[in-house]
Each structure stands twice: as C-alpha cells, then as structure tokens.
C-alpha cells in the first residue's frame, strides 16, 4: 500500500492540475500549474531522483510558470476568462477522460506490474553515474540540446518582436 | 513504501486530464497548460521506470525532455502572442485563416 506522503503529493498534483484547467481566471490557472509542477518534483524526490527534481523546479516553476504568467499579463482582460464553453463538448471530454483512466488503469493492473517486485529496494541511482552518462555517451545530445534551446529562444524573440516600432518615422539624425 | 504501479497510475490520470483539456478548452494558453501536464506525466513515467529497473538512462532522458519542453513553451507562447496581435483573441476557434 502506498504511504501517506505519496497520497498527499498525488492529491496535490492531480487536484492542482484540475484547478489549472477549470478555474475561471487564467492567472490562477497559471499558479495552479506551477503548484502541479512542484508536485511532480515531489514525486521525483520520492523516486530518489533529487537532481531531476531540482531541474524540474528550476525549469518549470522558475522559468516556464513565470513566462506563462507574463504572457497572461500581456493578453488583455477579456481574453483571460474562458467564455462560451459548449456543455455537450465538456460532457464528451469528461467521458473521454474517464474512459482513458479506466482502460489504461485496467491495462496497468492486469499487466502484472504489481506482482513483479520492481527494484525499489535496490540502491538508488548515484548522481555521479548520471553526470558520467551525460558527459560521455550522451555528450553529442547535450550539445545539440543546447543549440536547440538557443535556436528556440532566438525564434521566440523573433516571433514576439513588434514590427510597427521599426516602421515609425525615425526622429534621430544619424 | 509506494511501488512502481502507483506512480504509473498517477501518470495515467495526469495524461487523461491533459487530453480532456486539449479536447474541451478553446483558450490557446489553457491548451498549452494541457500539453505541459501531459509532458510532465511522461517525465514521471520515465523517472519511475528508471528507479524500478534501476538504470540511469531514464533520468537522463527526463532531463533532456524537461529542457526540450522549456524550448517548446518559449516558442508556443511567442506564437500565442503573435496570434493575439493579429486576432485580438486567444480563442483558437477564432483563428480561421493562415493569412499573415
């Protein structure tokens, strides 16, 4: 049986994920999404992966959530409220969600994963092994990942740039 | 002590919530939230299996996946801002033409 810490983190994560999608105001949804990401980081800590948990908090709670909150602030107030939601489509969505949970959950329980004693009592992965893997076997991937990040940041800047500013008459004399 | 299957069931529930949000919501920013929730459920599955085997590669993949998700959010929010400037609206039902 699962321990109480796990149940608390699970309720926090799933509950704040639902709140992120269902609350009326988008900014509360962004904050709930940040709390959901913190819950996922808590799961990583329960899985003895402190480095991934730290990375998750730094990237998701530190960068992504703040970015989303700034975008929500840029969008004006009438866009912040979810208007006109089709009741029929919502019912269909909830049905789809329940069918997914039931079918995939049954598949997981029937699959015999709970009989097979997984290696949770084996010693956890050393953080040194992680660093060694990332800097030897996965070193090219790391370089390409850095280039991808740089490219996407430049692309985001180019997308969000205002072009009207350049077209205004330039009053400087140079 | 919690086991592998508990984490997997939480991941399944998160994926289902994300799919519900993608199907029902018409707000572009909220659809981005749903994508983030699904990506996080995938990361949780990777790390859970990495602990269950145990093998370091799952954690390495989770780290790469988190970094890629950050890049994806940056570009997605840039696209939302451009679409908002064009249409004055974040409702994806209003984005009707591909005209620039």
């Amino acid at each position: 049986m699962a321990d109480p810490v796990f149940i608390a983190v699970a309720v926090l994560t799933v509950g704040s994920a639902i709140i992120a999608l269902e609350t009326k105001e988008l900014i509360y949804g962004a904050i709930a999404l940040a709390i959901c990401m913190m819950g996922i980081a808590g799961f990583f800590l329960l899985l003895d992966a402190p480095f991934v948990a730290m990375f998750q908090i730094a990237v998701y709670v530190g960068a992504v959530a703040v970015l989303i909150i700034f975008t929500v602030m840029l969008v004006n107030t009438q866009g912040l409220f979810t208007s006109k939601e089709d009741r029929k489509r919502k019912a269909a969505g909830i049905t789809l969600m329940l069918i997914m949970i039931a079918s995939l959950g049954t598949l997981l329980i029937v699959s015999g994963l709970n009989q097979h004693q997984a290696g949770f009592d084996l010693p956890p992965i050393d953080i040194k092994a992680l660093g060694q893997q990332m800097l030897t076997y996965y070193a090219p991937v790391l370089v390409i990942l850095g280039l991808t990040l740089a490219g996407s940041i430049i692309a985001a800047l180019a997308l969000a740039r205002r072009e009207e500013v350049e077209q205004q008459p330039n009053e400087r004399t140079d | 002590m919690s086991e592998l299957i508990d984490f997997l069931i939480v991941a399944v529930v998160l994926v289902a919530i994300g799919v519900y949000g993608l199907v029902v919501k018409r707000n572009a920013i909220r659809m981005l939230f749903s994508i983030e929730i699904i990506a996080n459920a995938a990361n949780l599955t990777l790390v859970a299996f990495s602990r269950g085997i145990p093998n370091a590669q799952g954690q390495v993949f989770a780290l790469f996946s988190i970094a890629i998700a950050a890049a994806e959010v940056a570009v997605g929010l840039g696209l939302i801002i451009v679409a908002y400037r064009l249409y004055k609206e974040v409702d994806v039902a209003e984005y009707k033409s591909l005209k620039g």
Side-chain angles (χ1 to χ4, degrees):
Chain A
M1 197 55 218
D3 59 340
V5 179
F6 174 85
I7 293 174
V9 177
V11 168
L12 177 78
T13 309
V14 174
S16 58
I18 293 173
I19 290 172
L21 291 177
E22 284 303 326
T23 175
K24 276 271 185 294
E25 290 191 44
L26 205 48
I27 191 123
Y28 296 154
I31 293 167
L33 187 75
I35 295 171
C36 176
M37 302 308 168
M38 296 271 271
I40 299 274
F43 279 131
F44 290 163
L45 284 179
L46 286 180
L47 285 166
D48 299 315
F51 185 68
V52 187
M54 192 194 75
F55 206 73
Q56 167 94 4
I57 290 178
V59 172
Y60 270 110
V61 185
V64 170
V66 172
L67 205 61
I68 288 175
I69 288 173
F70 271 114
T71 311
V72 170
M73 285 174 181
L74 282 179
V75 174
N76 76 356
T77 44
Q78 55 99 16
L80 294 184
F81 300 99
T82 44
S83 55
K84 53 182 191 281
E85 201 161 84
D86 199 350
R87 194 165 285 262
K88 218 183 263 179
R89 184 193 288 163
K90 190 166 185 176
I94 290 175
T95 315
L96 178 67
M97 178 175 83
L98 292 180
I99 289 173
M100 265 191 86
I101 291 175
S103 55
L104 288 177
T106 319
L107 195 65
L108 275 179
I109 289 167
V110 169
S111 69
L113 263 176
N114 47 355
Q115 265 97 41
H116 169 251
Q117 189 53 43
F120 273 56
D121 38 5
L122 295 175
I125 294 146
D126 195 14
I127 199 164
K128 273 184 197 159
L130 208 62
Q132 208 168 21
Q133 290 255 337
M134 279 184 91
L135 287 181
T136 54
Y137 188 72
Y138 290 107
V141 186
L142 203 65
V143 173
I144 292 170
L145 188 69
L147 289 177
T148 310
L149 266 176
S152 72
I153 296 295
I154 293 169
L157 284 177
L159 277 176
R161 190 173 59 119
R162 275 192 172 278
E163 299 198 354
E164 302 94 76
V165 177
E166 290 177 1
Q167 288 163 3
Q168 279 170 0
N170 204 345
E171 289 172 6
R172 284 182 304 173
T173 53
D174 46 8
Chain B
M1 191 62 204
S2 45
E3 289 180 29
L4 178 60
I5 194 151
D6 302 334
F7 293 96
L8 295 184
I9 285 175
V10 171
V12 163
V13 172
L14 284 177
V15 167
I17 291 172
V19 169
Y20 158 77
L22 273 183
V23 169
V24 171
K25 300 295 169 190
R26 280 294 162 261
N27 190 321
I29 300 178
R30 249 182 239 277
M31 293 175 84
L32 203 65
F33 287 5
S34 311
I35 294 172
E36 289 308 303
I37 290 171
I38 294 175
N40 270 286
N43 287 341
L44 180 60
T45 314
L46 277 174
V47 177
F49 273 112
S50 145
R51 180 72 183 93
I53 290 177
N55 189 342
Q57 288 187 350
Q59 289 193 23
V60 175
F61 278 154
L63 289 173
F64 289 153
S65 162
I66 291 172
I68 292 289
E72 168 242 317
V73 167
V75 175
L77 287 175
L79 286 175
I80 288 175
I81 288 179
V82 171
Y84 177 71
R85 261 189 221 137
L86 286 178
Y87 292 95
K88 300 287 173 222
E89 183 70 68
V90 286
D91 192 341
V92 288
E94 304 291 324
Y95 299 165
K96 287 205 176 95
S97 71
L98 282 175
K99 221 162 34 178

